[in-house]
Amino acid sequence: MTKSSAVITCRIDTELLGMLDQLAARRERTRGWLVSKAVRRFVEEELRFDAFLQEGEDSIDRGDFFTQEQMEAWFEERYRAADAA
């Protein structure tokens, strides 16, 4: 099975292009290969972050959270218990 692909274009500054060319030469890879790998890493990381945020929002929607006051009371209780020990 072959993977399909698409060509996209973007504009980068000449300094970044120079760094990309250096890295491509060191790794014996093409610019395109490096850019594709970088885009994949970025997109996967951003999708994981979005899923993390959604998990938090879902918890809030379920009412599965502590208010600021509840957290302060919880910490105060733990501090008192630690001081008593």
Side-chain angles (χ1 to χ4, degrees):
M1 182 168 77
T2 62
K3 287 186 176 182
S4 62
S5 64
V7 175
I8 63 170
T9 60
C10 71
R11 191 173 300 277
I12 61 174
D13 62 55
T14 54
E15 180 183 3
L16 181 56
L17 180 61
M19 292 187 300
L20 180 62
D21 286 341
Q22 279 184 332
L23 186 58
R26 278 192 222 135
R27 299 279 167 85
E28 296 181 356
R29 296 289 186 168
T30 64
R31 285 178 180 170
W33 187 90
L34 291 172
V35 170
S36 178
K37 187 172 184 175
V39 169
R40 175 175 292 282
R41 282 183 180 176
F42 172 78
V43 169
E44 288 173 350
E45 180 180 319
E46 291 297 307
L47 289 172
R48 281 191 302 272
F49 184 68
D50 286 352
F52 171 76
L53 292 177
Q54 187 61 53
E55 185 179 323
E57 290 175 6
D58 292 346
S59 291
I60 291 169
D61 291 344
R62 289 190 308 271
D64 186 18
F65 64 93
F66 292 105
T67 65
Q68 179 71 27
E69 293 80 16
Q70 290 170 320
M71 286 302 299
E72 288 172 2
W74 182 80
F75 275 108
E76 184 63 33
E77 183 180 318
R78 290 184 57 96
Y79 291 142
R80 270 189 256 124
D83 287 342

mmCIF file of all heavy atoms in Angstrom, residues 26-51:
data_model
loop_
_atom_site.group_PDB
_atom_site.id
_atom_site.type_symbol
_atom_site.label_atom_id
_atom_site.label_comp_id
_atom_site.label_asym_id
_atom_site.label_seq_id
_atom_site.Cartn_x
_atom_site.Cartn_y
_atom_site.Cartn_z
ATOM 1 N N ARG A 26 23.702 17.597 7.076
ATOM 2 C CA ARG A 26 24.246 16.738 8.135
ATOM 3 C C ARG A 26 23.516 15.400 8.223
ATOM 4 O O ARG A 26 24.127 14.375 8.485
ATOM 5 C CB ARG A 26 24.145 17.434 9.488
ATOM 6 C CG ARG A 26 25.244 18.392 9.734
ATOM 7 C CD ARG A 26 25.252 18.827 11.203
ATOM 8 N NE ARG A 26 25.493 20.253 11.217
ATOM 9 C CZ ARG A 26 24.832 21.137 11.946
ATOM 10 N NH1 ARG A 26 23.891 20.763 12.771
ATOM 11 N NH2 ARG A 26 25.150 22.410 11.886
ATOM 12 N N ARG A 27 22.225 15.450 8.032
ATOM 13 C CA ARG A 27 21.423 14.228 8.168
ATOM 14 C C ARG A 27 21.307 13.450 6.860
ATOM 15 O O ARG A 27 20.720 12.377 6.828
ATOM 16 C CB ARG A 27 20.012 14.577 8.647
ATOM 17 C CG ARG A 27 19.955 15.263 9.986
ATOM 18 C CD ARG A 27 20.056 14.268 11.122
ATOM 19 N NE ARG A 27 20.295 14.903 12.394
ATOM 20 C CZ ARG A 27 19.370 15.410 13.192
ATOM 21 N NH1 ARG A 27 18.115 15.368 12.838
ATOM 22 N NH2 ARG A 27 19.710 15.959 14.346
ATOM 23 N N GLU A 28 21.827 14.041 5.801
ATOM 24 C CA GLU A 28 21.707 13.452 4.464
ATOM 25 C C GLU A 28 20.244 13.182 4.120
ATOM 26 O O GLU A 28 19.854 12.108 3.669
ATOM 27 C CB GLU A 28 22.557 12.179 4.347
ATOM 28 C CG GLU A 28 24.038 12.449 4.503
ATOM 29 C CD GLU A 28 24.901 11.205 4.375
ATOM 30 O OE1 GLU A 28 24.362 10.082 4.245
ATOM 31 O OE2 GLU A 28 26.133 11.356 4.393
ATOM 32 N N ARG A 29 19.431 14.196 4.376
ATOM 33 C CA ARG A 29 17.999 14.167 4.085
ATOM 34 C C ARG A 29 17.648 15.397 3.269
ATOM 35 O O ARG A 29 18.407 16.359 3.210
ATOM 36 C CB ARG A 29 17.172 14.180 5.386
ATOM 37 C CG ARG A 29 17.355 12.972 6.254
ATOM 38 C CD ARG A 29 16.712 11.782 5.608
ATOM 39 N NE ARG A 29 16.746 10.628 6.507
ATOM 40 C CZ ARG A 29 16.059 9.535 6.305
ATOM 41 N NH1 ARG A 29 15.280 9.427 5.256
ATOM 42 N NH2 ARG A 29 16.151 8.528 7.134
ATOM 43 N N THR A 30 16.467 15.378 2.705
ATOM 44 C CA THR A 30 16.016 16.537 1.939
ATOM 45 C C THR A 30 15.332 17.540 2.872
ATOM 46 O O THR A 30 14.904 17.196 3.975
ATOM 47 C CB THR A 30 15.003 16.120 0.852
ATOM 48 O OG1 THR A 30 13.832 15.597 1.492
ATOM 49 C CG2 THR A 30 15.611 15.099 -0.098
ATOM 50 N N ARG A 31 15.218 18.762 2.378
ATOM 51 C CA ARG A 31 14.457 19.770 3.109
ATOM 52 C C ARG A 31 13.043 19.266 3.364
ATOM 53 O O ARG A 31 12.511 19.390 4.469
ATOM 54 C CB ARG A 31 14.322 21.052 2.284
ATOM 55 C CG ARG A 31 15.514 21.911 2.176
ATOM 56 C CD ARG A 31 15.149 23.089 1.268
ATOM 57 N NE ARG A 31 16.248 23.999 1.087
ATOM 58 C CZ ARG A 31 16.242 24.977 0.195
ATOM 59 N NH1 ARG A 31 15.196 25.143 -0.589
ATOM 60 N NH2 ARG A 31 17.278 25.773 0.086
ATOM 61 N N GLY A 32 12.453 18.728 2.320
ATOM 62 C CA GLY A 32 11.076 18.257 2.420
ATOM 63 C C GLY A 32 10.895 17.195 3.492
ATOM 64 O O GLY A 32 9.905 17.209 4.228
ATOM 65 N N TRP A 33 11.844 16.277 3.592
ATOM 66 C CA TRP A 33 11.756 15.222 4.593
ATOM 67 C C TRP A 33 11.786 15.821 6.000
ATOM 68 O O TRP A 33 10.992 15.456 6.868
ATOM 69 C CB TRP A 33 12.908 14.233 4.412
ATOM 70 C CG TRP A 33 12.811 13.027 5.288
ATOM 71 C CD1 TRP A 33 12.200 11.853 4.993
ATOM 72 C CD2 TRP A 33 13.348 12.878 6.617
ATOM 73 N NE1 TRP A 33 12.318 10.972 6.045
ATOM 74 C CE2 TRP A 33 13.022 11.577 7.067
ATOM 75 C CE3 TRP A 33 14.070 13.702 7.454
ATOM 76 C CZ2 TRP A 33 13.383 11.096 8.312
ATOM 77 C CZ3 TRP A 33 14.432 13.227 8.718
ATOM 78 C CH2 TRP A 33 14.090 11.937 9.125
ATOM 79 N N LEU A 34 12.718 16.763 6.213
ATOM 80 C CA LEU A 34 12.831 17.401 7.520
ATOM 81 C C LEU A 34 11.597 18.234 7.858
ATOM 82 O O LEU A 34 11.094 18.187 8.979
ATOM 83 C CB LEU A 34 14.080 18.282 7.581
ATOM 84 C CG LEU A 34 15.414 17.548 7.572
ATOM 85 C CD1 LEU A 34 16.561 18.538 7.440
ATOM 86 C CD2 LEU A 34 15.576 16.710 8.826
ATOM 87 N N VAL A 35 11.105 18.991 6.900
ATOM 88 C CA VAL A 35 9.931 19.819 7.141
ATOM 89 C C VAL A 35 8.714 18.945 7.436
ATOM 90 O O VAL A 35 7.943 19.217 8.358
ATOM 91 C CB VAL A 35 9.661 20.761 5.951
ATOM 92 C CG1 VAL A 35 8.310 21.444 6.079
ATOM 93 C CG2 VAL A 35 10.780 21.795 5.833
ATOM 94 N N SER A 36 8.563 17.855 6.699
ATOM 95 C CA SER A 36 7.450 16.946 6.937
ATOM 96 C C SER A 36 7.512 16.365 8.339
ATOM 97 O O SER A 36 6.500 16.292 9.057
ATOM 98 C CB SER A 36 7.461 15.824 5.895
ATOM 99 O OG SER A 36 6.414 14.918 6.136
ATOM 100 N N LYS A 37 8.700 15.973 8.770
ATOM 101 C CA LYS A 37 8.872 15.416 10.114
ATOM 102 C C LYS A 37 8.557 16.472 11.170
ATOM 103 O O LYS A 37 7.896 16.186 12.173
ATOM 104 C CB LYS A 37 10.303 14.896 10.275
ATOM 105 C CG LYS A 37 10.544 14.164 11.553
ATOM 106 C CD LYS A 37 11.916 13.509 11.556
ATOM 107 C CE LYS A 37 12.115 12.697 12.819
ATOM 108 N NZ LYS A 37 13.341 11.950 12.830
ATOM 109 N N ALA A 38 9.015 17.692 10.953
ATOM 110 C CA ALA A 38 8.770 18.774 11.912
ATOM 111 C C ALA A 38 7.280 19.108 11.998
ATOM 112 O O ALA A 38 6.746 19.299 13.094
ATOM 113 C CB ALA A 38 9.572 20.020 11.515
ATOM 114 N N VAL A 39 6.618 19.161 10.864
ATOM 115 C CA VAL A 39 5.184 19.462 10.859
ATOM 116 C C VAL A 39 4.421 18.352 11.570
ATOM 117 O O VAL A 39 3.516 18.612 12.365
ATOM 118 C CB VAL A 39 4.660 19.691 9.422
ATOM 119 C CG1 VAL A 39 3.149 19.736 9.390
ATOM 120 C CG2 VAL A 39 5.256 20.968 8.833
ATOM 121 N N ARG A 40 4.779 17.099 11.296
ATOM 122 C CA ARG A 40 4.109 15.978 11.960
ATOM 123 C C ARG A 40 4.251 16.088 13.478
ATOM 124 O O ARG A 40 3.286 15.948 14.224
ATOM 125 C CB ARG A 40 4.666 14.640 11.488
ATOM 126 C CG ARG A 40 4.072 13.440 12.256
ATOM 127 C CD ARG A 40 4.537 12.125 11.719
ATOM 128 N NE ARG A 40 3.998 11.870 10.397
ATOM 129 C CZ ARG A 40 2.743 11.444 10.167
ATOM 130 N NH1 ARG A 40 1.923 11.238 11.170
ATOM 131 N NH2 ARG A 40 2.331 11.230 8.939
ATOM 132 N N ARG A 41 5.479 16.330 13.957
ATOM 133 C CA ARG A 41 5.700 16.453 15.408
ATOM 134 C C ARG A 41 4.851 17.583 15.991
ATOM 135 O O ARG A 41 4.240 17.427 17.041
ATOM 136 C CB ARG A 41 7.171 16.728 15.711
ATOM 137 C CG ARG A 41 8.048 15.528 15.622
ATOM 138 C CD ARG A 41 9.460 15.900 16.004
ATOM 139 N NE ARG A 41 10.344 14.750 15.931
ATOM 140 C CZ ARG A 41 11.642 14.805 16.136
ATOM 141 N NH1 ARG A 41 12.220 15.970 16.424
ATOM 142 N NH2 ARG A 41 12.382 13.730 16.059
ATOM 143 N N PHE A 42 4.853 18.721 15.323
ATOM 144 C CA PHE A 42 4.093 19.872 15.808
ATOM 145 C C PHE A 42 2.608 19.566 15.863
ATOM 146 O O PHE A 42 1.954 19.803 16.879
ATOM 147 C CB PHE A 42 4.349 21.094 14.916
ATOM 148 C CG PHE A 42 3.464 22.251 15.250
ATOM 149 C CD1 PHE A 42 3.740 23.057 16.354
ATOM 150 C CD2 PHE A 42 2.349 22.532 14.482
ATOM 151 C CE1 PHE A 42 2.911 24.122 16.675
ATOM 152 C CE2 PHE A 42 1.510 23.590 14.807
ATOM 153 C CZ PHE A 42 1.793 24.388 15.902
ATOM 154 N N VAL A 43 2.065 19.015 14.794
ATOM 155 C CA VAL A 43 0.634 18.739 14.732
ATOM 156 C C VAL A 43 0.244 17.703 15.779
ATOM 157 O O VAL A 43 -0.767 17.860 16.488
ATOM 158 C CB VAL A 43 0.213 18.302 13.316
ATOM 159 C CG1 VAL A 43 -1.204 17.765 13.292
ATOM 160 C CG2 VAL A 43 0.356 19.466 12.335
ATOM 161 N N GLU A 44 1.018 16.646 15.927
ATOM 162 C CA GLU A 44 0.709 15.629 16.930
ATOM 163 C C GLU A 44 0.747 16.211 18.335
ATOM 164 O O GLU A 44 -0.115 15.918 19.163
ATOM 165 C CB GLU A 44 1.662 14.440 16.800
ATOM 166 C CG GLU A 44 1.395 13.600 15.573
ATOM 167 C CD GLU A 44 2.418 12.503 15.325
ATOM 168 O OE1 GLU A 44 3.477 12.491 16.012
ATOM 169 O OE2 GLU A 44 2.175 11.657 14.447
ATOM 170 N N GLU A 45 1.730 17.063 18.623
ATOM 171 C CA GLU A 45 1.831 17.698 19.936
ATOM 172 C C GLU A 45 0.631 18.605 20.194
ATOM 173 O O GLU A 45 0.056 18.602 21.287
ATOM 174 C CB GLU A 45 3.127 18.501 20.022
ATOM 175 C CG GLU A 45 3.324 19.198 21.351
ATOM 176 C CD GLU A 45 4.627 19.976 21.392
ATOM 177 O OE1 GLU A 45 5.653 19.482 20.902
ATOM 178 O OE2 GLU A 45 4.602 21.098 21.934
ATOM 179 N N GLU A 46 0.248 19.388 19.206
ATOM 180 C CA GLU A 46 -0.890 20.287 19.368
ATOM 181 C C GLU A 46 -2.190 19.511 19.549
ATOM 182 O O GLU A 46 -3.046 19.904 20.349
ATOM 183 C CB GLU A 46 -0.998 21.236 18.169
ATOM 184 C CG GLU A 46 0.124 22.255 18.102
ATOM 185 C CD GLU A 46 0.143 23.197 19.304
ATOM 186 O OE1 GLU A 46 -0.898 23.816 19.607
ATOM 187 O OE2 GLU A 46 1.204 23.313 19.939
ATOM 188 N N LEU A 47 -2.342 18.400 18.840
ATOM 189 C CA LEU A 47 -3.542 17.581 18.999
ATOM 190 C C LEU A 47 -3.601 16.953 20.388
ATOM 191 O O LEU A 47 -4.674 16.871 21.001
ATOM 192 C CB LEU A 47 -3.617 16.509 17.912
ATOM 193 C CG LEU A 47 -3.934 17.022 16.508
ATOM 194 C CD1 LEU A 47 -3.788 15.900 15.498
ATOM 195 C CD2 LEU A 47 -5.321 17.639 16.445
ATOM 196 N N ARG A 48 -2.445 16.515 20.909
ATOM 197 C CA ARG A 48 -2.411 15.982 22.279
ATOM 198 C C ARG A 48 -2.797 17.069 23.285
ATOM 199 O O ARG A 48 -3.549 16.823 24.233
ATOM 200 C CB ARG A 48 -1.027 15.426 22.624
ATOM 201 C CG ARG A 48 -0.750 14.053 22.076
ATOM 202 C CD ARG A 48 0.520 13.439 22.656
ATOM 203 N NE ARG A 48 1.707 14.242 22.438
ATOM 204 C CZ ARG A 48 2.491 14.170 21.355
ATOM 205 N NH1 ARG A 48 2.203 13.308 20.392
ATOM 206 N NH2 ARG A 48 3.552 14.936 21.245
ATOM 207 N N PHE A 49 -2.303 18.284 23.075
ATOM 208 C CA PHE A 49 -2.630 19.387 23.967
ATOM 209 C C PHE A 49 -4.122 19.711 23.897
ATOM 210 O O PHE A 49 -4.765 19.931 24.923
ATOM 211 C CB PHE A 49 -1.789 20.617 23.633
ATOM 212 C CG PHE A 49 -2.006 21.763 24.573
ATOM 213 C CD1 PHE A 49 -1.590 21.677 25.893
ATOM 214 C CD2 PHE A 49 -2.627 22.919 24.143
ATOM 215 C CE1 PHE A 49 -1.795 22.733 26.784
ATOM 216 C CE2 PHE A 49 -2.836 23.976 25.018
ATOM 217 C CZ PHE A 49 -2.422 23.886 26.339
ATOM 218 N N ASP A 50 -4.676 19.736 22.694
ATOM 219 C CA ASP A 50 -6.116 19.982 22.542
ATOM 220 C C ASP A 50 -6.929 18.910 23.257
ATOM 221 O O ASP A 50 -7.934 19.211 23.901
ATOM 222 C CB ASP A 50 -6.514 20.033 21.063
ATOM 223 C CG ASP A 50 -6.079 21.318 20.379
ATOM 224 O OD1 ASP A 50 -5.602 22.247 21.058
ATOM 225 O OD2 ASP A 50 -6.223 21.389 19.137
ATOM 226 N N ALA A 51 -6.506 17.648 23.157
ATOM 227 C CA ALA A 51 -7.216 16.559 23.838
ATOM 228 C C ALA A 51 -7.120 16.737 25.360
ATOM 229 O O ALA A 51 -8.095 16.493 26.077
ATOM 230 C CB ALA A 51 -6.642 15.211 23.416
#
